[in-house]
Amino acid sequence: MEEELYMAPIPEVFYSTKTNKPFSNCTKCNKELISYNDDILYIIEKAFKQNIKQKTKDLIFEYAMCVDCIEEMHKEMSKKSLKRIEMYFKLYVDFDKREKDLIEDCFDDVEPWISNCVITDTHISELEEYQIAAFCTNDDIIFTHLPFLLGEYALEEIQNLLSKKTKGFIDGFEKQLRPIELEGSTYKRKLIFI
């Protein structure tokens, strides 16, 4: 029996900031992501730094990447890093329970899915740095283990789990995504959800 997918139109928080519309192409290979002839699967990730006192936030990077490119990226990361990240999430998050609870309460509203850090439960309003990620197909978001938010503490812990090889690979990829005006900012490089 096929598992039911819970989907809704991609919310604006996951739109491209350049176009104010859903991402249309894979950031890495440029494949079209919205095709009504095929079910194109992809991940969107965005990273933010916010000033809590002034209630402002800056986008650090954003991307949309098709599953084919994600699989290629996985090959560049060390098996040790991928295993450590998998174990970290298993230790702190019961994704099946989270998904069941959120789908019962509000599956088509993204806000509860990304309002608190999935690891520490810290509310977004208390985070100076955070990243959000979503799994999508065409112009719909899919509610499964994603979407979720990771706050600065969890990001730092995950960063410490990465091998030197993986850190170098991620830093190189992230540099391609960061807006020029943010080069040299105080944002600490973190894991990208791939």
Side-chain angles (χ1 to χ4, degrees):
M1 190 167 118
E2 204 170 293
E3 188 178 333
E4 184 177 358
L5 283 181
Y6 293 90
M7 299 187 295
I10 294 173
E12 289 184 20
V13 69
F14 284 106
Y15 281 13
S16 163
T17 55
K18 290 178 184 171
T19 64
N20 287 323
K21 295 178 183 175
F23 285 88
S24 57
N25 298 81
C26 174
T27 302
K28 188 154 175 49
C29 73
N30 207 35
K31 177 195 285 183
E32 283 189 35
L33 297 175
I34 299 176
S35 165
Y36 299 103
N37 298 323
D38 297 310
D39 289 330
I40 308 292
L41 300 173
Y42 59 99
I43 283 181
I44 296 171
E45 182 183 0
K46 299 177 117 181
F48 298 92
K49 183 173 181 71
Q50 66 180 356
N51 185 315
I52 296 169
K53 289 180 184 173
Q54 295 178 0
K55 297 185 179 175
T56 60
K57 70 179 173 185
D58 293 313
L59 176 73
I60 304 304
F61 64 75
E62 63 180 8
Y63 72 86
M65 192 178 300
C66 69
V67 291
D68 292 336
C69 286
I70 290 167
E71 287 173 11
E72 286 300 312
M73 300 284 269
H74 272 176
K75 292 175 186 172
E76 297 293 328
M77 296 173 71
S78 74
K79 287 186 170 91
K80 189 177 186 180
S81 294
L82 291 171
K83 188 69 177 168
R84 286 176 175 173
I85 294 165
E86 180 186 349
M87 294 304 294
Y88 179 81
F89 280 108
K90 279 185 179 176
L91 183 64
Y92 289 106
V93 186
D94 182 343
F95 278 111
D96 292 334
K97 181 180 181 328
R98 177 180 185 267
E99 180 182 340
K100 183 177 180 289
D101 291 348
L102 286 168
I103 284 173
E104 282 179 7
D105 293 343
C106 52
F107 89 85
D108 61 348
D109 179 8
V110 77
E111 200 64 34
W113 295 75
I114 59 169
S115 60
N116 293 66
C117 175
V118 73
I119 301 293
T120 66
D121 203 35
T122 307
H123 192 267
I124 191 171
S125 64
E126 300 172 44
L127 297 168
E128 291 181 6
E129 296 178 11
Y130 65 91
Q131 293 181 12
I132 56 173
F135 195 51
C136 302
T137 182
N138 292 314
D139 55 1
D140 288 323
I141 188 171
I142 303 171
F143 293 92
T144 59
H145 294 352
L146 296 174
F148 66 60
L149 176 146
L150 283 176
E152 59 220 21
Y153 176 78
L155 290 165
E156 198 60 49
E157 284 199 325
I158 293 169
Q159 184 76 15
N160 291 332
L161 299 175
L162 303 178
S163 69
K164 190 173 181 179
K165 173 190 172 187
T166 300
K167 283 181 185 179
F169 169 72
I170 288 174
D171 284 351
F173 179 66
E174 188 180 303
K175 280 182 187 175
Q176 298 170 24
L177 301 175
R178 293 182 75 190
I180 293 167
E181 66 271 14
L182 292 171
E183 284 301 323
S185 72
T186 58
Y187 182 75
K188 301 174 200 119
R189 286 202 167 83
K190 304 291 189 217
L191 171 76
I192 296 175
F193 305 122
I194 51 177

